[in-house]
Amino acid sequence: MNKIIKQFKDAAILNNPTFIQVLGMCPTLATTTSAENALGMGLAATAVLILSNVIISLLRKIIPNQVRIASYIVIISGAVTAIELLMKAYLVDLYDSLGIFIPLIVVNCIILARAEAFASKNNVFSSFIDGVATGLGFTGALFIVGCIRELLGAGSIFGIAILPEALHATIFIMAPGAFLTLGAVIALVQKIKKTLENKKKAEINTENDGEEVII
Amino acid sequence: MAEILVIMLAAILTENFIFIKFMGICPFLGVSDKIDKSLGMGFAVIFVMTLSSAVTWVVYHFMLVPLGLEYLQTIAFILVIASLVQFIEMFLKKNVPALYSSLGIFLPLITTNCAVLGAALLNISNGYSFIESVVFGFSAAVGFTLAVLIFAGIREKLKYADVPESFKGTPIALITAGLIAMVFSGFSGISFT
């Protein structure tokens, strides 16, 4: 159980696909115009990630090494097509607002990266956990950016009005706002990371100091 | 003729793939640190996107539609693009070594460039004819190249700027891109119809 928690923490937070590894930028910028769209995109990508990780892990001993990337792409696009057809059938509104970015999950580097780096080397269960964790890390990142943009740009979150109309800065739900928001959020993440590292270093130093005093 | 011109100008300026549509951001951030590198990537993308727009249009209208397999377009297109890139790479290596040595390293990266697949899918959903598809693929790629070149020019200067510690690397690149995107959204006032 501890191992699973650690795997979650590693894949979703410490190596967050969006904020730390800076992968999959296109959907992160394009579909975060509102919290709802961001969540929908994140969950669709998570579903594809889980599906492709499990299938690739099941087939990892059968797929010949030379053609593995091509095989992964076929498996991933199969999974994407399945999710796309399901969304078209049951979630029409969301499908319409995400538009072309649903089929474009195929070329999302996060999914191919997890297939190559994890699912091709590990058993089905841990590949499944990896898919869930990475997917949720991606969804969380999209959700944060989506909330900020919707709040600043349209004054609401999930369509519930929060800010008065005079405070709406429409630019945040337009194209430039996506770049500005994501840039600022990643800068904040880097700042937090740096502060935590410094703190850890300081703790180690004080521990050492303490030992010296004892000696 | 006027329609073709409208498609071209729209794809390059008002509907710029990078700054307005957010497609191809990964190579955009990845190769844009030097002007010559981004020029190489730009030419490789123009080459592949023009060809792949043509080939995917033919595949869709002469293979998938008659067989009633339209729902397989994503799988079919990504396979076509991947094999096309592979084929171009082998062809250039054998016949035009000079071009290969300048574009070669960018070609494998293009398979996972979502602009290429995006253009192929947009051609179908916009209902373009064959000529229009090729023009759209070509001009969208020109728009991509323009965006990467502008960005690389700024990024070369950015290296010497005194950027706050936390903003170093990706954040400042994204914010720069945001400022250029504002310029590009100024084009959206132009209407070509």
Side-chain angles (χ1 to χ4, degrees):
Chain A
M1 197 61 210
N2 272 334
K3 215 180 135 206
I4 294 174
I5 293 173
K6 189 178 173 293
Q7 203 187 344
F8 249 97
K9 206 177 139 194
D10 274 351
I13 298 166
L14 296 180
N15 286 315
N16 186 290
T18 312
F19 291 153
I20 308 289
Q21 300 185 51
V22 201
L23 291 174
M25 284 293 107
C26 305
T28 313
L29 292 165
T31 61
T32 49
T33 46
S34 70
E36 194 189 340
N37 282 354
L39 207 59
M41 180 69 210
L43 292 178
T46 307
V48 173
L49 196 57
I50 295 171
L51 218 63
S52 70
N53 257 8
V54 167
I55 298 172
I56 288 167
S57 169
L58 278 171
L59 297 175
R60 70 185 186 279
K61 297 208 172 85
I62 305 169
I63 298 173
N65 204 26
Q66 294 88 339
V67 293
R68 63 180 197 288
I69 301 288
S71 323
Y72 297 162
I73 290 181
V74 175
I75 293 169
I76 293 168
S77 48
V80 170
T81 306
I83 300 293
E84 192 187 348
L85 292 173
L86 279 173
M87 285 183 79
K88 227 183 208 166
Y90 296 106
L91 298 165
V92 185
D93 290 344
L94 189 63
Y95 179 82
D96 285 341
S97 61
L98 295 179
I100 194 171
F101 284 93
I102 296 290
L104 284 183
I105 296 177
V106 175
V107 280
N108 188 329
C109 355
I110 297 172
I111 294 169
L112 196 61
R114 290 330 285 173
E116 170 76 5
F118 200 90
S120 62
K121 297 184 190 96
N122 290 284
N123 63 30
V124 177
F125 181 70
S126 48
S127 299
F128 172 78
I129 297 291
D130 183 72
V132 176
T134 312
L136 289 183
F138 180 63
T139 311
L142 253 67
F143 183 65
I144 293 172
V145 179
C147 281
I148 297 174
R149 284 183 67 192
E150 196 185 343
L151 183 67
L152 294 176
S156 59
I157 287 179
F158 283 113
I160 302 163
I162 293 175
L163 295 176
E165 201 144 327
L167 291 176
H168 294 185
T170 321
I171 191 164
F172 280 98
I173 47 174
M174 285 159 56
F179 288 108
L180 299 179
T181 314
L182 189 64
V185 173
I186 293 182
L188 190 69
V189 169
Q190 286 190 2
K191 175 89 188 160
I192 294 170
K193 208 175 144 196
K194 197 101 195 180
T195 318
L196 288 180
E197 274 168 13
N198 285 343
K199 218 180 204 175
K200 217 175 230 172
K201 251 184 226 160
E203 265 169 29
I204 292 168
N205 282 342
T206 46
E207 272 171 24
N208 287 346
D209 289 349
E211 276 170 25
E212 274 170 18
V213 173
I214 295 165
I215 290 163
Chain B
M1 195 57 217
E3 263 171 39
I4 300 280
L5 205 66
V6 168
I7 291 178
M8 275 186 88
L9 284 173
I12 296 173
L13 297 176
T14 52
E15 299 278 298
N16 187 284
F17 259 39
I18 302 258
F19 293 125
I20 308 293
K21 286 213 153 111
F22 304 118
M23 281 183 220
I25 304 286
C26 297
F28 169 68
L29 291 174
V31 300
S32 61
D33 52 346
K34 290 238 166 57
I35 289 188
D36 51 344
K37 221 159 98 189
S38 46
L39 203 61
M41 184 69 178
F43 279 123
V45 169
I46 292 178
F47 200 59
V48 172
M49 249 165 97
T50 313
L51 268 175
S52 73
S53 292
V55 176
T56 49
W57 192 91
V58 170
V59 166
Y60 184 82
H61 286 275
F62 292 104
M63 270 174 68
L64 298 181
V65 173
L67 294 171
L69 293 174
E70 288 95 334
Y71 62 91
L72 284 182
Q73 60 168 353
T74 315
I75 303 181
F77 286 2
I78 192 77
L79 283 178
V80 167
I81 292 167
S83 38
L84 188 73
V85 170
Q86 193 80 51
F87 179 74
I88 294 173
E89 200 180 345
M90 289 183 327
F91 178 82
L92 288 183
K93 204 173 186 175
K94 190 153 190 308
N95 296 313
V96 202
L99 195 59
Y100 177 78
S101 61
S102 57
L103 299 188
I105 48 164
F106 302 110
L107 284 172
L109 291 173
I110 289 180
T111 315
T112 52
N113 182 343
C114 53
V116 181
L117 183 61
L121 292 168
L122 281 175
N123 282 332
I124 303 301
S125 64
N126 289 349
Y128 285 152
S129 70
F130 181 73
I131 304 283
E132 285 168 341
S133 296
V134 175
V135 170
F136 180 75
F138 172 76
S139 17
V142 171
F144 173 89
T145 311
L146 181 72
V148 178
L149 269 182
I150 295 175
F151 194 55
I154 297 176
R155 245 181 141 176
E156 280 195 351
K157 300 266 178 226
L158 208 60
K159 245 183 287 176
Y160 306 105
D162 186 19
V163 178
E165 189 61 37
S166 332
F167 276 88
K168 278 192 178 133
T170 321
I172 193 72
L174 284 168
I175 287 176
T176 314
L179 295 176
I180 311 172
M182 281 185 205
V183 177
F184 268 81
S185 60
F187 288 120
S188 64
I190 309 170
S191 152
F192 296 111
T193 44

